[in-house]
Amino acid sequence: ATLPILSIDEVFDTIRPEKISSPYQSPPSVADTSFSAAMFGLSPRSDTYKKLLEEFQKRSYYKCPDITDLLWHYCSEEQGWTRLPYSYNVRNDRYFPMKSYNFAAVSRLGNVWEWDGKPTRQQAGKLDKSLYDLEDLYSFWWKMLYEGLE
């Protein structure tokens, strides 16, 4: 679950045929040669799309495949990778600028959808403060989810 915090329009502006647009997996200053599939843009040719589906089905036979590994194999090695800033893949911490927050990585609070502190719709609707800590980010995620469901 990735929650956009600011506009992500530039992600769509970076999409090129047969090239994946995705943020770095790790924050700056960490040696990082891979991307995150938590947020990505991809416009494959039909034959590439078929290869991706075939590979996904083959890997799904044994277990749920790691989508990042799958996309890495077909996109970043063969067609190239348009690198987006880490600010699109922030997880387990605050980072400036934060354009989106990736809740898929397990934090000290657990997964956002299993969080014990989950606010009610009414509580989330009243949330109107800066995002200072992880609890604030989790509450904000629930607020956006509730609003999206209305």
Side-chain angles (χ1 to χ4, degrees):
T2 300
L3 174 68
I5 305 291
L6 300 173
S7 172
I8 59 168
D9 290 349
E10 71 180 316
V11 172
F12 300 100
D13 295 338
T14 65
I15 298 173
R16 301 291 178 265
E18 291 295 299
K19 197 170 186 175
I20 192 165
S21 297
S22 183
Y24 284 96
Q25 185 79 359
S26 302
S29 78
V30 174
D32 188 2
T33 59
S34 65
F35 60 78
S36 169
M39 177 183 290
F40 66 93
L42 179 64
S43 178
R45 293 188 318 256
S46 60
D47 61 322
T48 302
Y49 179 72
K50 288 177 187 174
K51 287 179 186 178
L52 283 167
L53 287 180
E54 289 169 6
E55 187 64 23
F56 185 83
Q57 289 175 339
K58 186 170 78 177
R59 293 176 184 217
S60 297
Y61 181 77
Y62 300 104
K63 64 176 184 165
C64 182
D66 182 331
I67 192 71
T68 299
D69 288 345
L70 178 67
L71 290 172
W72 177 263
H73 176 72
Y74 280 99
C75 301
S76 67
E77 291 178 356
E78 295 179 18
Q79 285 80 24
W81 167 28
T82 300
R83 289 150 175 84
L84 299 175
Y86 176 72
S87 58
Y88 287 106
N89 190 44
V90 178
R91 58 192 190 284
N92 293 334
D93 204 354
R94 288 176 292 150
Y95 180 81
F96 183 80
M98 184 186 320
K99 296 196 175 193
S100 67
Y101 191 84
N102 178 358
F103 289 93
V106 178
S107 73
R108 63 180 169 77
L109 298 178
N111 290 318
V112 66
W113 46 90
E114 299 173 339
W115 179 41
D116 290 336
K118 171 185 155 187
T120 65
R121 283 180 187 251
Q122 186 177 17
Q123 290 168 330
K126 294 178 181 177
L127 181 67
D128 186 25
K129 64 178 194 170
S130 297
L131 306 177
Y132 288 113
D133 55 31
L134 202 51
E135 288 84 356
D136 294 338
L137 282 168
Y138 274 42
S139 294
F140 186 67
W141 186 88
W142 281 102
K143 177 180 180 173
M144 295 294 99
L145 178 68
Y146 291 144
E147 287 178 5
L149 293 173
E150 291 178 359

